[in-house]
Amino acid sequence: MFSLEGRKALVVGIANEHSIAWGCAKALRAQGAEIAVTYLNEKAEPHVRPLAEELGAEIVLPLDVSREGALEAVFDEIGSRWGRLDTLLHSIAFAPRDDLHGRVIDCSAEGFRMAMDVSVHSFLRMIRLAEPLMHEGGTCLTVSFFGSVRVVRDYNMMGPVKAALESAVRYAAAELGDKGISVHALSPGPLKTRAASGISHFDEMLNAAAGRAPMHVLASIEDVGAMAAFLASDEARNLTGGVHDIDGGYSITA
């Protein structure tokens, strides 16, 4: 079994115990990594801080990536407290409700800009800030979805946004490979998370996905966490730029 003993990991995107980021944080911690956790705002803190305490997180900080200077403050604290970073997990996405529920061709310019900024550009900004802390290489992870490459009913504008995220993963991987920094996207099938609840008819999507997947079972946040922990390990040191499906085979079916 691989070990992450002594590694330092930043996990962004825990909202509650159903979050994909929570599954990943648990898996990283179980393999020995020390964890830093962020929460969105004061309203989110009471839901996230007990989870951070369960992990024994050394650093727990607010982070709203749309606020100027907030991201830099988090990385300044990591640099000051730890002096390095080995693993970054980005599991945040956002689209204004009206834009998300409408047709892609009808989405507003401002809504599209916001979705791209929070869901995609924030990952690139995090990688840029993590790069000088990854002295001996590292792993940067984000979370995508099958709707990036196929039209999924009611996923709407998040499809093009996730496609951009996956492309960003490939370019970042190419740019950072010579520094030993790998970049990956984790792509689970439909999961019942708070973020997913904003998608129309999501329960129908869950049922259809389970029926279509060859394994006839949906991935859990623990399944996603297991892949995240593996990709953060030395055993995955020669892997980069991938979009890793964790979906019981859902993505291979027509």
Side-chain angles (χ1 to χ4, degrees), residues 19 28 68 72 76 109 121 132 140 145 199 239:
S19 300
L28 292 167
E68 186 175 351
E72 288 77 8
D76 284 346
H121 192 244
C140 300
F145 180 64
I199 300 170
L239 301 177

Side-chain angles (χ1 to χ4, degrees), residues 94-129:
F94 174 78
R97 188 176 184 85
D98 289 345
D99 290 299
L100 179 61
H101 289 179
R103 300 188 304 173
V104 172
I105 60 174
D106 293 329
C107 71
S108 68
E110 178 61 14
F112 194 77
R113 184 200 66 76
M114 290 176 66
M116 288 290 289
D117 183 56
V118 173
S119 310
V120 182
H121 192 244
S122 68
F123 183 47
L124 295 176
R125 289 167 58 206
M126 287 182 199
I127 294 174
R128 185 168 65 247
L129 291 166

Side-chain angles (χ1 to χ4, degrees), residues 159-223:
V161 170
K162 291 296 189 181
L165 179 64
E166 291 179 7
S167 182
V169 164
R170 290 186 285 271
Y171 277 89
E175 292 168 352
L176 295 174
D178 60 355
K179 294 187 175 182
I181 299 173
S182 62
V183 188
H184 302 272
L186 306 166
S187 185
L191 287 174
K192 201 171 184 68
T193 63
R194 191 182 74 171
S197 66
I199 300 170
S200 298
H201 308 293
F202 192 72
D203 285 342
E204 294 176 24
M205 186 189 297
L206 287 173
N207 293 333
R212 198 176 91 185
M215 303 298 289
H216 299 299
V217 63
L218 299 177
S220 67
I221 61 171
E222 287 77 19
D223 294 330

Side-chain angles (χ1 to χ4, degrees), residues 2-178:
F2 58 83
S3 172
L4 300 176
E5 198 68 38
R7 304 290 177 88
K8 311 289 189 181
L10 170 62
V11 176
V12 177
I14 298 176
N16 55 39
E17 69 275 14
H18 303 297
S19 300
I20 291 171
W22 171 238
C24 294
K26 287 192 299 179
L28 292 167
R29 184 70 188 114
Q31 297 304 321
E34 298 174 56
I35 307 295
V37 167
T38 68
Y39 56 90
L40 178 59
N41 50 33
E42 290 182 0
K43 184 178 179 180
E45 184 178 2
H47 302 283
V48 179
R49 188 167 287 277
L51 300 177
E53 291 172 355
E54 186 176 329
L55 295 169
E58 299 183 9
I59 300 172
V60 185
L61 295 169
L63 176 59
D64 178 346
V65 297
S66 65
R67 290 185 56 197
E68 186 175 351
L71 196 52
E72 288 77 8
V74 168
F75 279 86
D76 284 346
E77 182 68 12
I78 289 172
S80 175
R81 294 276 296 275
W82 282 349
R84 61 179 243 263
L85 187 67
D86 301 292
T87 303
L88 164 67
L89 177 81
H90 167 281
S91 184
I92 57 174
F94 174 78
R97 188 176 184 85
D98 289 345
D99 290 299
L100 179 61
H101 289 179
R103 300 188 304 173
V104 172
I105 60 174
D106 293 329
C107 71
S108 68
E110 178 61 14
F112 194 77
R113 184 200 66 76
M114 290 176 66
M116 288 290 289
D117 183 56
V118 173
S119 310
V120 182
H121 192 244
S122 68
F123 183 47
L124 295 176
R125 289 167 58 206
M126 287 182 199
I127 294 174
R128 185 168 65 247
L129 291 166
E131 180 184 4
L133 295 173
M134 292 183 167
H135 313 300
E136 299 178 4
T139 305
C140 300
L141 304 163
T142 189
V143 178
S144 191
F145 180 64
F146 180 64
S148 63
V149 293
R150 295 287 187 274
V151 175
V152 174
R153 179 188 172 195
D154 297 314
Y155 200 58
N156 301 340
M157 70 176 292
M158 287 307 297
V161 170
K162 291 296 189 181
L165 179 64
E166 291 179 7
S167 182
V169 164
R170 290 186 285 271
Y171 277 89
E175 292 168 352
L176 295 174
D178 60 355

